[in-house]
Amino acid sequence: MSSIVAIIRILLKFHYVVENGICFLCMSDEQNKHRIPFAFLSEIKDLFLSKYGVELPQRAIAFSLNEEFSLKIRERMEYYNNAGSHVDNISAVKNQIEDVKGVMVENIEKVLERGEKIELLVDKTDRLNQAAFKFESSSRDLRRAMWWKNARWVGFLVLVGAFAVFFVASLFCGMDFHKCKKH
């Protein structure tokens, strides 16, 4: 016959604050570390001292204020147990840092996207600049070609005109211009 023995190990931590001879004590599991229990103790201490002051607890019989203040302790205990890491300032700051980190990552991604868009714009601008240079050089070449074409036509027309004048003159004066030399 075998027997199974289960041992449940619960690690509890005691936290306390002493002020003006009054000890404020709480117990928590190991999961809570130190910040949340001490935030709880600090709030309980402030509530207790604001309600009863320093003198009354010093003269009171043990547990005489328990009945009146236990409801407040229970309420704050439920709040701190349910609120978790949102209670202490360090966790709130960590959460804010995480939020800021997320926003920064988004902004960096947007900047990188914008950088890619700028690179595309620079590439397009470079291509447009190259196309404009090619257009300028080809239009210059075309202008020169058209000028030479026009110059050839003008030369041809001048040559044809000169030949026409020579032909007309040779009709009236003869081929060797002997009829026009006499006059």
PDB file of all heavy atoms in Angstrom, residues 49-84:
ATOM      1  N   LEU A  49      -3.851  57.326  10.893  1.00  0.00           N
ATOM      2  CA  LEU A  49      -3.379  58.502  11.625  1.00  0.00           C
ATOM      3  C   LEU A  49      -4.262  59.717  11.375  1.00  0.00           C
ATOM      4  O   LEU A  49      -4.454  60.545  12.269  1.00  0.00           O
ATOM      5  CB  LEU A  49      -1.924  58.811  11.272  1.00  0.00           C
ATOM      6  CG  LEU A  49      -0.899  57.780  11.761  1.00  0.00           C
ATOM      7  CD1 LEU A  49       0.493  58.144  11.276  1.00  0.00           C
ATOM      8  CD2 LEU A  49      -0.925  57.656  13.279  1.00  0.00           C
ATOM      9  N   SER A  50      -4.829  59.823  10.170  1.00  0.00           N
ATOM     10  CA  SER A  50      -5.724  60.955   9.916  1.00  0.00           C
ATOM     11  C   SER A  50      -7.041  60.797  10.670  1.00  0.00           C
ATOM     12  O   SER A  50      -7.650  61.786  11.072  1.00  0.00           O
ATOM     13  CB  SER A  50      -5.991  61.111   8.418  1.00  0.00           C
ATOM     14  OG  SER A  50      -6.751  60.036   7.937  1.00  0.00           O
ATOM     15  N   LYS A  51      -7.464  59.550  10.884  1.00  0.00           N
ATOM     16  CA  LYS A  51      -8.729  59.323  11.603  1.00  0.00           C
ATOM     17  C   LYS A  51      -8.559  59.387  13.121  1.00  0.00           C
ATOM     18  O   LYS A  51      -9.371  59.979  13.820  1.00  0.00           O
ATOM     19  CB  LYS A  51      -9.312  57.964  11.194  1.00  0.00           C
ATOM     20  CG  LYS A  51     -10.675  57.695  11.799  1.00  0.00           C
ATOM     21  CD  LYS A  51     -11.352  56.540  11.156  1.00  0.00           C
ATOM     22  CE  LYS A  51     -12.746  56.430  11.742  1.00  0.00           C
ATOM     23  NZ  LYS A  51     -13.636  55.666  10.926  1.00  0.00           N
ATOM     24  N   TYR A  52      -7.468  58.778  13.623  1.00  0.00           N
ATOM     25  CA  TYR A  52      -7.327  58.648  15.076  1.00  0.00           C
ATOM     26  C   TYR A  52      -6.223  59.517  15.658  1.00  0.00           C
ATOM     27  O   TYR A  52      -6.141  59.666  16.876  1.00  0.00           O
ATOM     28  CB  TYR A  52      -7.054  57.186  15.451  1.00  0.00           C
ATOM     29  CG  TYR A  52      -8.184  56.264  15.058  1.00  0.00           C
ATOM     30  CD1 TYR A  52      -8.006  55.309  14.070  1.00  0.00           C
ATOM     31  CD2 TYR A  52      -9.433  56.350  15.660  1.00  0.00           C
ATOM     32  CE1 TYR A  52      -9.029  54.466  13.690  1.00  0.00           C
ATOM     33  CE2 TYR A  52     -10.464  55.505  15.291  1.00  0.00           C
ATOM     34  CZ  TYR A  52     -10.262  54.566  14.303  1.00  0.00           C
ATOM     35  OH  TYR A  52     -11.273  53.743  13.944  1.00  0.00           O
ATOM     36  N   GLY A  53      -5.345  60.035  14.826  1.00  0.00           N
ATOM     37  CA  GLY A  53      -4.235  60.831  15.339  1.00  0.00           C
ATOM     38  C   GLY A  53      -3.180  59.938  15.972  1.00  0.00           C
ATOM     39  O   GLY A  53      -3.186  58.722  15.822  1.00  0.00           O
ATOM     40  N   VAL A  54      -2.242  60.562  16.737  1.00  0.00           N
ATOM     41  CA  VAL A  54      -1.140  59.807  17.345  1.00  0.00           C
ATOM     42  C   VAL A  54      -1.455  59.457  18.803  1.00  0.00           C
ATOM     43  O   VAL A  54      -1.075  58.402  19.298  1.00  0.00           O
ATOM     44  CB  VAL A  54       0.167  60.622  17.247  1.00  0.00           C
ATOM     45  CG1 VAL A  54       1.316  59.899  17.916  1.00  0.00           C
ATOM     46  CG2 VAL A  54       0.509  60.928  15.802  1.00  0.00           C
ATOM     47  N   GLU A  55      -2.192  60.304  19.475  1.00  0.00           N
ATOM     48  CA  GLU A  55      -2.443  60.131  20.916  1.00  0.00           C
ATOM     49  C   GLU A  55      -3.439  59.025  21.236  1.00  0.00           C
ATOM     50  O   GLU A  55      -3.194  58.198  22.116  1.00  0.00           O
ATOM     51  CB  GLU A  55      -2.934  61.455  21.517  1.00  0.00           C
ATOM     52  CG  GLU A  55      -1.929  62.582  21.443  1.00  0.00           C
ATOM     53  CD  GLU A  55      -0.675  62.283  22.258  1.00  0.00           C
ATOM     54  OE1 GLU A  55      -0.784  61.713  23.358  1.00  0.00           O
ATOM     55  OE2 GLU A  55       0.414  62.602  21.751  1.00  0.00           O
ATOM     56  N   LEU A  56      -4.566  58.980  20.542  1.00  0.00           N
ATOM     57  CA  LEU A  56      -5.617  57.995  20.854  1.00  0.00           C
ATOM     58  C   LEU A  56      -5.103  56.557  20.723  1.00  0.00           C
ATOM     59  O   LEU A  56      -5.331  55.750  21.640  1.00  0.00           O
ATOM     60  CB  LEU A  56      -6.842  58.236  19.964  1.00  0.00           C
ATOM     61  CG  LEU A  56      -8.005  57.256  20.159  1.00  0.00           C
ATOM     62  CD1 LEU A  56      -8.585  57.370  21.570  1.00  0.00           C
ATOM     63  CD2 LEU A  56      -9.076  57.505  19.123  1.00  0.00           C
ATOM     64  N   PRO A  57      -4.408  56.168  19.655  1.00  0.00           N
ATOM     65  CA  PRO A  57      -3.920  54.792  19.567  1.00  0.00           C
ATOM     66  C   PRO A  57      -2.912  54.455  20.670  1.00  0.00           C
ATOM     67  O   PRO A  57      -2.823  53.289  21.082  1.00  0.00           O
ATOM     68  CB  PRO A  57      -3.251  54.724  18.196  1.00  0.00           C
ATOM     69  CG  PRO A  57      -3.847  55.829  17.407  1.00  0.00           C
ATOM     70  CD  PRO A  57      -4.201  56.882  18.387  1.00  0.00           C
ATOM     71  N   GLN A  58      -2.184  55.444  21.169  1.00  0.00           N
ATOM     72  CA  GLN A  58      -1.203  55.189  22.223  1.00  0.00           C
ATOM     73  C   GLN A  58      -1.907  54.821  23.543  1.00  0.00           C
ATOM     74  O   GLN A  58      -1.388  54.032  24.332  1.00  0.00           O
ATOM     75  CB  GLN A  58      -0.320  56.431  22.462  1.00  0.00           C
ATOM     76  CG  GLN A  58       0.522  56.847  21.281  1.00  0.00           C
ATOM     77  CD  GLN A  58       1.682  55.915  21.024  1.00  0.00           C
ATOM     78  OE1 GLN A  58       2.068  55.128  21.883  1.00  0.00           O
ATOM     79  NE2 GLN A  58       2.217  55.974  19.816  1.00  0.00           N
ATOM     80  N   ARG A  59      -3.091  55.362  23.787  1.00  0.00           N
ATOM     81  CA  ARG A  59      -3.817  55.110  25.027  1.00  0.00           C
ATOM     82  C   ARG A  59      -4.890  54.037  24.894  1.00  0.00           C
ATOM     83  O   ARG A  59      -5.447  53.584  25.879  1.00  0.00           O
ATOM     84  CB  ARG A  59      -4.501  56.402  25.505  1.00  0.00           C
ATOM     85  CG  ARG A  59      -3.519  57.454  25.954  1.00  0.00           C
ATOM     86  CD  ARG A  59      -4.209  58.744  26.368  1.00  0.00           C
ATOM     87  NE  ARG A  59      -4.579  59.478  25.143  1.00  0.00           N
ATOM     88  CZ  ARG A  59      -5.766  60.033  24.933  1.00  0.00           C
ATOM     89  NH1 ARG A  59      -6.699  59.992  25.819  1.00  0.00           N
ATOM     90  NH2 ARG A  59      -6.014  60.654  23.810  1.00  0.00           N
ATOM     91  N   ALA A  60      -5.204  53.598  23.651  1.00  0.00           N
ATOM     92  CA  ALA A  60      -6.310  52.666  23.425  1.00  0.00           C
ATOM     93  C   ALA A  60      -5.933  51.262  23.890  1.00  0.00           C
ATOM     94  O   ALA A  60      -4.770  50.871  23.905  1.00  0.00           O
ATOM     95  CB  ALA A  60      -6.670  52.637  21.950  1.00  0.00           C
ATOM     96  N   ILE A  61      -6.954  50.504  24.277  1.00  0.00           N
ATOM     97  CA  ILE A  61      -6.783  49.106  24.653  1.00  0.00           C
ATOM     98  C   ILE A  61      -6.591  48.303  23.370  1.00  0.00           C
ATOM     99  O   ILE A  61      -7.145  48.639  22.322  1.00  0.00           O
ATOM    100  CB  ILE A  61      -8.026  48.612  25.423  1.00  0.00           C
ATOM    101  CG1 ILE A  61      -8.225  49.457  26.682  1.00  0.00           C
ATOM    102  CG2 ILE A  61      -7.932  47.146  25.754  1.00  0.00           C
ATOM    103  CD1 ILE A  61      -9.516  49.163  27.415  1.00  0.00           C
ATOM    104  N   ALA A  62      -5.849  47.215  23.435  1.00  0.00           N
ATOM    105  CA  ALA A  62      -5.565  46.391  22.256  1.00  0.00           C
ATOM    106  C   ALA A  62      -6.851  45.970  21.570  1.00  0.00           C
ATOM    107  O   ALA A  62      -7.798  45.536  22.219  1.00  0.00           O
ATOM    108  CB  ALA A  62      -4.757  45.172  22.659  1.00  0.00           C
ATOM    109  N   PHE A  63      -6.912  46.077  20.292  1.00  0.00           N
ATOM    110  CA  PHE A  63      -8.014  45.709  19.414  1.00  0.00           C
ATOM    111  C   PHE A  63      -9.286  46.540  19.628  1.00  0.00           C
ATOM    112  O   PHE A  63     -10.329  46.204  19.099  1.00  0.00           O
ATOM    113  CB  PHE A  63      -8.359  44.225  19.526  1.00  0.00           C
ATOM    114  CG  PHE A  63      -7.209  43.312  19.218  1.00  0.00           C
ATOM    115  CD1 PHE A  63      -6.618  42.564  20.234  1.00  0.00           C
ATOM    116  CD2 PHE A  63      -6.707  43.193  17.931  1.00  0.00           C
ATOM    117  CE1 PHE A  63      -5.550  41.733  19.960  1.00  0.00           C
ATOM    118  CE2 PHE A  63      -5.650  42.363  17.657  1.00  0.00           C
ATOM    119  CZ  PHE A  63      -5.051  41.630  18.671  1.00  0.00           C
ATOM    120  N   SER A  64      -9.230  47.625  20.399  1.00  0.00           N
ATOM    121  CA  SER A  64     -10.443  48.412  20.628  1.00  0.00           C
ATOM    122  C   SER A  64     -10.832  49.224  19.380  1.00  0.00           C
ATOM    123  O   SER A  64     -12.006  49.533  19.196  1.00  0.00           O
ATOM    124  CB  SER A  64     -10.258  49.350  21.828  1.00  0.00           C
ATOM    125  OG  SER A  64      -9.237  50.294  21.565  1.00  0.00           O
ATOM    126  N   LEU A  65      -9.893  49.559  18.547  1.00  0.00           N
ATOM    127  CA  LEU A  65     -10.190  50.318  17.334  1.00  0.00           C
ATOM    128  C   LEU A  65     -10.403  49.389  16.131  1.00  0.00           C
ATOM    129  O   LEU A  65     -10.708  49.851  15.035  1.00  0.00           O
ATOM    130  CB  LEU A  65      -9.041  51.297  17.027  1.00  0.00           C
ATOM    131  CG  LEU A  65      -8.726  52.306  18.128  1.00  0.00           C
ATOM    132  CD1 LEU A  65      -7.499  53.119  17.759  1.00  0.00           C
ATOM    133  CD2 LEU A  65      -9.909  53.206  18.390  1.00  0.00           C
ATOM    134  N   ASN A  66     -10.269  48.102  16.362  1.00  0.00           N
ATOM    135  CA  ASN A  66     -10.327  47.120  15.288  1.00  0.00           C
ATOM    136  C   ASN A  66     -11.695  47.080  14.620  1.00  0.00           C
ATOM    137  O   ASN A  66     -11.801  47.033  13.405  1.00  0.00           O
ATOM    138  CB  ASN A  66      -9.952  45.748  15.829  1.00  0.00           C
ATOM    139  CG  ASN A  66      -9.696  44.755  14.720  1.00  0.00           C
ATOM    140  OD1 ASN A  66      -9.401  45.132  13.611  1.00  0.00           O
ATOM    141  ND2 ASN A  66      -9.837  43.481  15.037  1.00  0.00           N
ATOM    142  N   GLU A  67     -12.764  47.078  15.433  1.00  0.00           N
ATOM    143  CA  GLU A  67     -14.103  46.945  14.886  1.00  0.00           C
ATOM    144  C   GLU A  67     -14.442  48.111  13.959  1.00  0.00           C
ATOM    145  O   GLU A  67     -14.998  47.929  12.876  1.00  0.00           O
ATOM    146  CB  GLU A  67     -15.133  46.895  16.033  1.00  0.00           C
ATOM    147  CG  GLU A  67     -16.543  46.642  15.562  1.00  0.00           C
ATOM    148  CD  GLU A  67     -17.501  46.541  16.734  1.00  0.00           C
ATOM    149  OE1 GLU A  67     -17.101  46.070  17.809  1.00  0.00           O
ATOM    150  OE2 GLU A  67     -18.649  46.946  16.553  1.00  0.00           O
ATOM    151  N   GLU A  68     -14.042  49.302  14.348  1.00  0.00           N
ATOM    152  CA  GLU A  68     -14.351  50.494  13.569  1.00  0.00           C
ATOM    153  C   GLU A  68     -13.492  50.596  12.301  1.00  0.00           C
ATOM    154  O   GLU A  68     -13.970  51.006  11.254  1.00  0.00           O
ATOM    155  CB  GLU A  68     -14.121  51.722  14.455  1.00  0.00           C
ATOM    156  CG  GLU A  68     -14.583  53.010  13.858  1.00  0.00           C
ATOM    157  CD  GLU A  68     -14.392  54.158  14.837  1.00  0.00           C
ATOM    158  OE1 GLU A  68     -14.405  53.954  16.055  1.00  0.00           O
ATOM    159  OE2 GLU A  68     -14.191  55.271  14.326  1.00  0.00           O
ATOM    160  N   PHE A  69     -12.215  50.202  12.390  1.00  0.00           N
ATOM    161  CA  PHE A  69     -11.281  50.412  11.274  1.00  0.00           C
ATOM    162  C   PHE A  69     -11.153  49.187  10.357  1.00  0.00           C
ATOM    163  O   PHE A  69     -10.628  49.294   9.269  1.00  0.00           O
ATOM    164  CB  PHE A  69      -9.899  50.808  11.828  1.00  0.00           C
ATOM    165  CG  PHE A  69      -9.010  51.466  10.823  1.00  0.00           C
ATOM    166  CD1 PHE A  69      -9.306  52.726  10.317  1.00  0.00           C
ATOM    167  CD2 PHE A  69      -7.874  50.829  10.358  1.00  0.00           C
ATOM    168  CE1 PHE A  69      -8.493  53.333   9.385  1.00  0.00           C
ATOM    169  CE2 PHE A  69      -7.055  51.426   9.412  1.00  0.00           C
ATOM    170  CZ  PHE A  69      -7.364  52.683   8.926  1.00  0.00           C
ATOM    171  N   SER A  70     -11.672  48.035  10.767  1.00  0.00           N
ATOM    172  CA  SER A  70     -11.506  46.812   9.973  1.00  0.00           C
ATOM    173  C   SER A  70     -12.217  46.895   8.621  1.00  0.00           C
ATOM    174  O   SER A  70     -11.764  46.306   7.633  1.00  0.00           O
ATOM    175  CB  SER A  70     -11.977  45.589  10.752  1.00  0.00           C
ATOM    176  OG  SER A  70     -13.362  45.679  11.009  1.00  0.00           O
ATOM    177  N   LEU A  71     -13.339  47.619   8.561  1.00  0.00           N
ATOM    178  CA  LEU A  71     -14.041  47.773   7.278  1.00  0.00           C
ATOM    179  C   LEU A  71     -13.169  48.539   6.276  1.00  0.00           C
ATOM    180  O   LEU A  71     -13.105  48.189   5.093  1.00  0.00           O
ATOM    181  CB  LEU A  71     -15.369  48.502   7.481  1.00  0.00           C
ATOM    182  CG  LEU A  71     -16.412  47.746   8.300  1.00  0.00           C
ATOM    183  CD1 LEU A  71     -17.633  48.623   8.534  1.00  0.00           C
ATOM    184  CD2 LEU A  71     -16.802  46.456   7.595  1.00  0.00           C
ATOM    185  N   LYS A  72     -12.488  49.556   6.755  1.00  0.00           N
ATOM    186  CA  LYS A  72     -11.602  50.337   5.899  1.00  0.00           C
ATOM    187  C   LYS A  72     -10.422  49.474   5.435  1.00  0.00           C
ATOM    188  O   LYS A  72     -10.015  49.535   4.272  1.00  0.00           O
ATOM    189  CB  LYS A  72     -11.113  51.575   6.655  1.00  0.00           C
ATOM    190  CG  LYS A  72     -10.447  52.570   5.777  1.00  0.00           C
ATOM    191  CD  LYS A  72     -11.371  52.994   4.671  1.00  0.00           C
ATOM    192  CE  LYS A  72     -11.319  54.454   4.359  1.00  0.00           C
ATOM    193  NZ  LYS A  72     -12.088  54.782   3.176  1.00  0.00           N
ATOM    194  N   ILE A  73      -9.896  48.664   6.352  1.00  0.00           N
ATOM    195  CA  ILE A  73      -8.782  47.774   5.999  1.00  0.00           C
ATOM    196  C   ILE A  73      -9.230  46.782   4.926  1.00  0.00           C
ATOM    197  O   ILE A  73      -8.522  46.561   3.938  1.00  0.00           O
ATOM    198  CB  ILE A  73      -8.250  47.030   7.241  1.00  0.00           C
ATOM    199  CG1 ILE A  73      -7.578  48.018   8.200  1.00  0.00           C
ATOM    200  CG2 ILE A  73      -7.269  45.936   6.840  1.00  0.00           C
ATOM    201  CD1 ILE A  73      -7.168  47.407   9.519  1.00  0.00           C
ATOM    202  N   ARG A  74     -10.411  46.215   5.099  1.00  0.00           N
ATOM    203  CA  ARG A  74     -10.925  45.239   4.135  1.00  0.00           C
ATOM    204  C   ARG A  74     -11.121  45.890   2.763  1.00  0.00           C
ATOM    205  O   ARG A  74     -10.753  45.323   1.738  1.00  0.00           O
ATOM    206  CB  ARG A  74     -12.245  44.643   4.629  1.00  0.00           C
ATOM    207  CG  ARG A  74     -12.825  43.630   3.640  1.00  0.00           C
ATOM    208  CD  ARG A  74     -14.003  42.878   4.180  1.00  0.00           C
ATOM    209  NE  ARG A  74     -13.533  42.134   5.334  1.00  0.00           N
ATOM    210  CZ  ARG A  74     -14.218  41.989   6.462  1.00  0.00           C
ATOM    211  NH1 ARG A  74     -15.425  42.487   6.569  1.00  0.00           N
ATOM    212  NH2 ARG A  74     -13.727  41.320   7.488  1.00  0.00           N
ATOM    213  N   GLU A  75     -11.689  47.082   2.769  1.00  0.00           N
ATOM    214  CA  GLU A  75     -11.918  47.789   1.503  1.00  0.00           C
ATOM    215  C   GLU A  75     -10.596  48.054   0.772  1.00  0.00           C
ATOM    216  O   GLU A  75     -10.476  47.801  -0.424  1.00  0.00           O
ATOM    217  CB  GLU A  75     -12.622  49.126   1.783  1.00  0.00           C
ATOM    218  CG  GLU A  75     -12.753  50.017   0.569  1.00  0.00           C
ATOM    219  CD  GLU A  75     -13.154  51.434   0.981  1.00  0.00           C
ATOM    220  OE1 GLU A  75     -14.006  51.584   1.885  1.00  0.00           O
ATOM    221  OE2 GLU A  75     -12.583  52.379   0.399  1.00  0.00           O
ATOM    222  N   ARG A  76      -9.601  48.532   1.481  1.00  0.00           N
ATOM    223  CA  ARG A  76      -8.302  48.837   0.864  1.00  0.00           C
ATOM    224  C   ARG A  76      -7.575  47.555   0.442  1.00  0.00           C
ATOM    225  O   ARG A  76      -6.891  47.520  -0.575  1.00  0.00           O
ATOM    226  CB  ARG A  76      -7.416  49.661   1.803  1.00  0.00           C
ATOM    227  CG  ARG A  76      -7.969  51.015   2.194  1.00  0.00           C
ATOM    228  CD  ARG A  76      -8.640  51.807   1.085  1.00  0.00           C
ATOM    229  NE  ARG A  76      -7.771  52.102  -0.031  1.00  0.00           N
ATOM    230  CZ  ARG A  76      -8.189  52.359  -1.268  1.00  0.00           C
ATOM    231  NH1 ARG A  76      -9.469  52.350  -1.558  1.00  0.00           N
ATOM    232  NH2 ARG A  76      -7.336  52.609  -2.228  1.00  0.00           N
ATOM    233  N   MET A  77      -7.756  46.476   1.238  1.00  0.00           N
ATOM    234  CA  MET A  77      -7.133  45.204   0.910  1.00  0.00           C
ATOM    235  C   MET A  77      -7.714  44.661  -0.410  1.00  0.00           C
ATOM    236  O   MET A  77      -6.963  44.199  -1.285  1.00  0.00           O
ATOM    237  CB  MET A  77      -7.373  44.197   2.046  1.00  0.00           C
ATOM    238  CG  MET A  77      -6.235  43.255   2.234  1.00  0.00           C
ATOM    239  SD  MET A  77      -6.274  42.325   3.774  1.00  0.00           S
ATOM    240  CE  MET A  77      -7.930  41.940   4.072  1.00  0.00           C
ATOM    241  N   GLU A  78      -9.019  44.752  -0.578  1.00  0.00           N
ATOM    242  CA  GLU A  78      -9.642  44.318  -1.824  1.00  0.00           C
ATOM    243  C   GLU A  78      -9.150  45.164  -2.999  1.00  0.00           C
ATOM    244  O   GLU A  78      -8.873  44.645  -4.078  1.00  0.00           O
ATOM    245  CB  GLU A  78     -11.166  44.397  -1.711  1.00  0.00           C
ATOM    246  CG  GLU A  78     -11.754  43.304  -0.849  1.00  0.00           C
ATOM    247  CD  GLU A  78     -13.264  43.445  -0.685  1.00  0.00           C
ATOM    248  OE1 GLU A  78     -13.889  44.251  -1.417  1.00  0.00           O
ATOM    249  OE2 GLU A  78     -13.820  42.756   0.180  1.00  0.00           O
ATOM    250  N   TYR A  79      -9.047  46.465  -2.771  1.00  0.00           N
ATOM    251  CA  TYR A  79      -8.557  47.351  -3.822  1.00  0.00           C
ATOM    252  C   TYR A  79      -7.143  46.948  -4.244  1.00  0.00           C
ATOM    253  O   TYR A  79      -6.866  46.794  -5.432  1.00  0.00           O
ATOM    254  CB  TYR A  79      -8.580  48.803  -3.346  1.00  0.00           C
ATOM    255  CG  TYR A  79      -7.872  49.740  -4.296  1.00  0.00           C
ATOM    256  CD1 TYR A  79      -8.472  50.146  -5.484  1.00  0.00           C
ATOM    257  CD2 TYR A  79      -6.597  50.215  -4.009  1.00  0.00           C
ATOM    258  CE1 TYR A  79      -7.819  50.987  -6.366  1.00  0.00           C
ATOM    259  CE2 TYR A  79      -5.938  51.063  -4.876  1.00  0.00           C
ATOM    260  CZ  TYR A  79      -6.557  51.455  -6.049  1.00  0.00           C
ATOM    261  OH  TYR A  79      -5.905  52.290  -6.905  1.00  0.00           O
ATOM    262  N   TYR A  80      -6.240  46.766  -3.280  1.00  0.00           N
ATOM    263  CA  TYR A  80      -4.852  46.443  -3.605  1.00  0.00           C
ATOM    264  C   TYR A  80      -4.708  45.029  -4.179  1.00  0.00           C
ATOM    265  O   TYR A  80      -3.840  44.791  -5.008  1.00  0.00           O
ATOM    266  CB  TYR A  80      -3.946  46.623  -2.383  1.00  0.00           C
ATOM    267  CG  TYR A  80      -3.545  48.065  -2.181  1.00  0.00           C
ATOM    268  CD1 TYR A  80      -4.346  48.935  -1.453  1.00  0.00           C
ATOM    269  CD2 TYR A  80      -2.382  48.559  -2.748  1.00  0.00           C
ATOM    270  CE1 TYR A  80      -3.987  50.253  -1.298  1.00  0.00           C
ATOM    271  CE2 TYR A  80      -2.015  49.878  -2.586  1.00  0.00           C
ATOM    272  CZ  TYR A  80      -2.820  50.722  -1.864  1.00  0.00           C
ATOM    273  OH  TYR A  80      -2.463  52.035  -1.706  1.00  0.00           O
ATOM    274  N   ASN A  81      -5.556  44.109  -3.768  1.00  0.00           N
ATOM    275  CA  ASN A  81      -5.495  42.758  -4.332  1.00  0.00           C
ATOM    276  C   ASN A  81      -6.004  42.737  -5.780  1.00  0.00           C
ATOM    277  O   ASN A  81      -5.490  41.997  -6.609  1.00  0.00           O
ATOM    278  CB  ASN A  81      -6.306  41.778  -3.497  1.00  0.00           C
ATOM    279  CG  ASN A  81      -5.574  41.373  -2.234  1.00  0.00           C
ATOM    280  OD1 ASN A  81      -4.355  41.423  -2.186  1.00  0.00           O
ATOM    281  ND2 ASN A  81      -6.326  41.000  -1.217  1.00  0.00           N
ATOM    282  N   ASN A  82      -7.028  43.543  -6.079  1.00  0.00           N
ATOM    283  CA  ASN A  82      -7.613  43.554  -7.416  1.00  0.00           C
ATOM    284  C   ASN A  82      -6.882  44.492  -8.377  1.00  0.00           C
ATOM    285  O   ASN A  82      -6.880  44.257  -9.574  1.00  0.00           O
ATOM    286  CB  ASN A  82      -9.086  43.947  -7.348  1.00  0.00           C
ATOM    287  CG  ASN A  82      -9.902  42.893  -6.633  1.00  0.00           C
ATOM    288  OD1 ASN A  82      -9.544  41.717  -6.619  1.00  0.00           O
ATOM    289  ND2 ASN A  82     -10.982  43.307  -6.010  1.00  0.00           N
ATOM    290  N   ALA A  83      -6.293  45.548  -7.849  1.00  0.00           N
ATOM    291  CA  ALA A  83      -5.643  46.535  -8.715  1.00  0.00           C
ATOM    292  C   ALA A  83      -4.330  46.016  -9.280  1.00  0.00           C
ATOM    293  O   ALA A  83      -3.896  46.431 -10.343  1.00  0.00           O
ATOM    294  CB  ALA A  83      -5.406  47.829  -7.955  1.00  0.00           C
ATOM    295  N   GLY A  84      -3.680  45.119  -8.577  1.00  0.00           N
ATOM    296  CA  GLY A  84      -2.437  44.526  -9.067  1.00  0.00           C
ATOM    297  C   GLY A  84      -1.327  45.550  -9.198  1.00  0.00           C
ATOM    298  O   GLY A  84      -1.083  46.333  -8.294  1.00  0.00           O
TER     299      GLY A  84
END
